[in-house]
Amino acid sequence: DAGVTQSPTHLIKTRGQQVTLRCSPKSGHDTVSWYQQALGQGPQFIFQYYEEEERQRGNFPDRFSGHQFPNYSSELNVNALLLGDSALYLCASSTGTGNPYEQYFGPGTRLTVT
Amino acid sequence: RKEVEQDPGPFNVPEGATVAFNCTYSNSASQSFFWYRQDCRKEPKLLMSVYSSGNEDGRFTAQLNRASQYISLLIRDSKLSDSATYLCVVSLEAGGSYIPTFGRGTSLIVHP
């Protein structure tokens, strides 16, 4: 049973660049959420996708956008990168009909912005 | 006041000890409460949900106190492998919908 997978595992970008992170949900899951986790902090909710639409969004600027594909995989795009965007980006999957807080996280993508 | 607050610790306890963590939340209308565990440089893993009636899973007990707006996690007979950061997550209202809001986590170190 494949769990949540994310790519790449690490990424280094410079300020002003754009980045795309990818996520494949756990088998049987159709809902994908993205989180940003800074060092020493808890994950902060960015947004959630269900049925290829953004269902919920946290307090993040429009520079953060996403997409969900028909196979339920998802992408997180961040434009005009800032130094403060350096963090671990986590993807979590769940079932749309179950409790969305019962999530399974992927190993994350560590983004460093220089 | 932060919306979801946890004492960052670390809580340093010997093997076999009982330890409890609390997590306070700001919105009395919150409906969903969970505990996650996160090992160093790893992803969070779901530990258990928190129901109004309490929830027990082996050595772990989770409780909800709606009147005082906090949830708790009790670990009995601590093992070395329990060393980790414990994160609570609460549904909080934002812009008309409820979004999952994590605390910063409580670090637990169990020593021999």
Side-chain angles (χ1 to χ4, degrees):
Chain A
D1 179 18
V4 180
T5 60
Q6 291 186 245
S7 64
T9 53
H10 295 85
L11 205 49
I12 299 174
K13 292 283 190 179
T14 55
R15 273 182 301 176
Q17 285 190 314
Q18 178 264 343
V19 69
T20 297
L21 310 182
R22 295 177 175 81
C23 170
S24 289
K26 179 179 165 64
S27 178
H29 285 186
D30 55 10
T31 302
V32 173
S33 300
W34 286 92
Y35 293 83
Q36 180 194 68
Q37 186 173 26
L39 204 59
Q41 301 297 317
Q44 195 171 355
F45 179 76
I46 303 175
F47 42 53
Q48 183 182 83
Y49 277 85
Y50 173 67
E51 293 188 339
E52 301 179 52
E53 302 237 335
E54 183 182 289
R55 184 156 74 168
Q56 288 182 312
R57 189 177 183 95
N59 188 24
F60 277 79
D62 292 344
R63 298 188 296 110
F64 290 77
S65 64
H67 188 78
Q68 185 178 36
F69 299 94
N71 67 351
Y72 309 123
S73 67
S74 176
E75 286 182 351
L76 164 65
N77 300 293
V78 187
N79 293 324
L81 284 166
L82 304 173
L83 294 180
D85 295 331
S86 295
L88 180 67
Y89 287 84
L90 293 160
C91 166
S93 72
S94 55
T95 60
T97 53
N99 190 315
Y101 291 70
E102 288 194 36
Q103 304 173 92
Y104 291 80
F105 283 84
T109 293
R110 191 164 296 279
L111 172 65
T112 302
V113 182
T114 62
Chain B
R1 179 186 171 185
K2 285 189 180 175
E3 295 179 306
V4 179
E5 288 200 71
Q6 292 185 260
D7 179 347
F11 284 57
N12 211 314
V13 303
E15 271 186 292
T18 294
V19 62
F21 315 128
N22 284 344
C23 165
T24 59
Y25 58 94
S26 59
N27 190 330
S28 61
S30 295
Q31 294 296 321
S32 292
F33 310 89
F34 283 84
W35 284 101
Y36 281 75
R37 168 198 170 122
Q38 186 170 27
D39 292 290
C40 187
R41 302 190 72 81
K42 297 283 193 182
E43 73 273 19
K45 284 185 163 49
L46 179 63
L47 184 63
M48 61 197 305
S49 53
V50 188
Y51 305 126
S52 296
S53 56
N55 189 17
E56 186 171 319
D57 183 4
R59 298 181 294 110
F60 297 81
T61 301
Q63 299 270 1
L64 166 63
N65 186 319
R66 284 196 183 274
S68 300
Q69 292 181 207
Y70 73 88
I71 61 174
S72 64
L73 178 68
L74 179 80
I75 305 175
R76 289 180 296 277
D77 188 22
S78 299
K79 311 290 184 195
L80 296 176
S81 57
D82 293 334
S83 297
T85 295
Y86 291 84
L87 299 157
C88 63
V89 59
V90 176
S91 60
L92 290 184
E93 186 184 9
S97 64
Y98 284 84
I99 67 170
T101 305
F102 279 82
R104 64 176 295 183
T106 296
S107 175
L108 171 66
I109 300 171
V110 181
H111 59 81

